[in-house]
Amino acid sequence: MNQFNKEDQPIKLDPLDRVGWLADQPEHFRSWVANNARWRHFAAGEAIYNAGDEPNGMYGLASGALEVTFPLISDEPVTIYRAEPGFWIGEAALMAGATRLVGLSSALDSRVLHIPIGPLRELLEHDPGYWRILYEQSFANLGVALTLLAEALALTPRARIAKLLLRLADGEGRVQGNQDDFGRLIGMTRSSVRRALLNIAEAGFVRTGYRSLEIVDAEALKKISREG
């Protein structure tokens, strides 16, 4: 695990050339990434980096799921976000010249594109205009952080659960996880999560199973997700 692949350069970027930050960048930058990045695979639960580590580049999620944690409590970092494919992270510490503020781990078996810090620094030194591309990604992650904060302050527990389920669902409406997982991801107690899920399930909007559930009525969940 945790090793660079053995592909010859340039590598194929699919699906990250179609979804997320990289997909919105100019063709010349995507070509540069294809010649300098490497695919890596991480098992479920495997750490990619920890808060306090020196930056070693950027990471883009192609498949699986990543969890971002913050060391608010020393013994058990708090999970602040579970990311889906198309998510990128790692630029902030590079831009600030500082150590990592957050930790990153693989929540499921995941395929991740790693852009090493050495080539990134060389690119930025050669052409400072590329800093704007990194700022675009940093701005996007700031938007995610502010959205999560606003949701925690303004939405009902039922609305927060509905939003989480819609975001984590795969293409067939399945969501992997249990009540403890959902509570950890949005900072709610198990009892609050249980009540909210029971309410939604009894209405027929989701179907619960063992460590997973299935969204039956996505439109109904979208309406619930706007409850303040």
Side-chain angles (χ1 to χ4, degrees), residues 121-136:
R121 282 177 169 161
E122 290 177 7
L123 177 69
L124 295 169
E125 289 173 2
H126 176 72
D127 188 346
Y130 282 105
W131 278 105
R132 179 173 179 174
I133 288 178
L134 297 193
Y135 276 111
E136 288 178 7

Side-chain angles (χ1 to χ4, degrees), residues 3 7 15-16 28 30 43-44 50 99 105 113 136 153 197 214:
Q3 297 295 319
E7 296 179 66
L16 294 178
H28 58 83
R30 294 201 302 271
N50 299 306
T99 57
S105 62
L113 187 63
E136 288 178 7
L153 293 173
L197 282 176
E214 179 184 358

Side-chain angles (χ1 to χ4, degrees), residues 2 40 42-54 56-62 64-71 77-84 87-91 100-108 110-115 137 141:
N2 204 21
R40 301 176 68 175
F42 294 89
E46 188 173 1
I48 298 175
Y49 60 74
N50 299 306
D53 285 353
E54 293 292 332
N56 66 344
M58 295 178 64
Y59 294 85
L61 177 63
L66 300 178
E67 287 194 358
V68 182
T69 60
F70 185 76
V78 177
T79 299
I80 56 177
Y81 189 63
R82 177 174 287 195
E84 59 271 14
F87 175 79
W88 282 85
I89 194 170
E91 79 293 332
R100 302 284 195 190
L101 281 176
V102 299
L104 185 69
S105 62
S106 183
L108 305 171
S110 300
R111 184 170 180 252
V112 179
L113 187 63
H114 177 213
I115 307 176
Q137 170 54 28
N141 281 348

